[in-house]
Amino acid sequence: NTHEWTDGILAGMVRDCANDPSPDKKWVMFDGPVDAIWIENMNTVLDDNKKLCLVSGEIISLSASMTMMFEVEDLAVASPATVSRCGMIYMEPGALGLGPLVVSWLQTLPE
């Protein structure tokens, strides 16, 4: 055990996007349950500073072309401070899944 820092997936992805000079929009997507510990550590990314603070001490500033999106089932373990930093879109359960997409596509077909 060397106690050396090793970047995780998120740090590498955010660093790559932040260092990309192109004006193209860059999306970092999260899909899954919210964990109380890691979502609280994302508060500096979600506030106006838009900086990812790593345990190693490195701070990665998000560029203007970067957006983070969280697709979660619920926010039961997220603090009010975290929730207030996010824009929310609620989807009715009936609007989710493959069914609504198939219905929408079928409506575009000629009769």
Side-chain angles (χ1 to χ4, degrees):
N1 192 357
T2 64
H3 298 286
E4 291 181 25
W5 176 260
T6 302
D7 277 343
I9 296 169
L10 175 64
M13 287 178 58
V14 171
R15 186 180 298 107
D16 289 347
C17 290
N19 291 333
D20 184 349
S22 78
D24 297 337
K25 192 75 171 158
K26 296 149 194 90
W27 292 82
V28 179
M29 307 288 291
F30 297 86
D31 183 8
V34 173
D35 177 83
I37 296 171
W38 74 256
I39 196 65
E40 292 303 315
N41 290 330
M42 297 297 283
N43 281 346
T44 58
V45 173
L46 299 173
D47 66 15
D48 293 339
N49 294 325
K50 291 181 73 174
K51 294 181 179 181
L52 179 63
C53 300
L54 303 178
V55 174
S56 67
E58 180 182 2
I59 298 173
I60 304 172
S61 294
L62 276 64
S63 66
S65 63
M66 291 176 67
T67 298
M68 286 193 172
M69 182 177 287
F70 300 85
E71 183 180 342
V72 299
E73 183 176 335
D74 62 55
L75 295 169
V77 298
S79 72
T82 300
V83 173
S84 70
R85 288 175 166 88
C86 299
M88 304 291 164
I89 299 173
Y90 175 76
M91 299 290 294
E92 290 286 342
L96 301 174
L98 194 55
L101 294 174
V102 171
V103 169
S104 176
W105 174 74
L106 288 173
Q107 291 171 349
T108 66
L109 298 176
E111 292 187 32

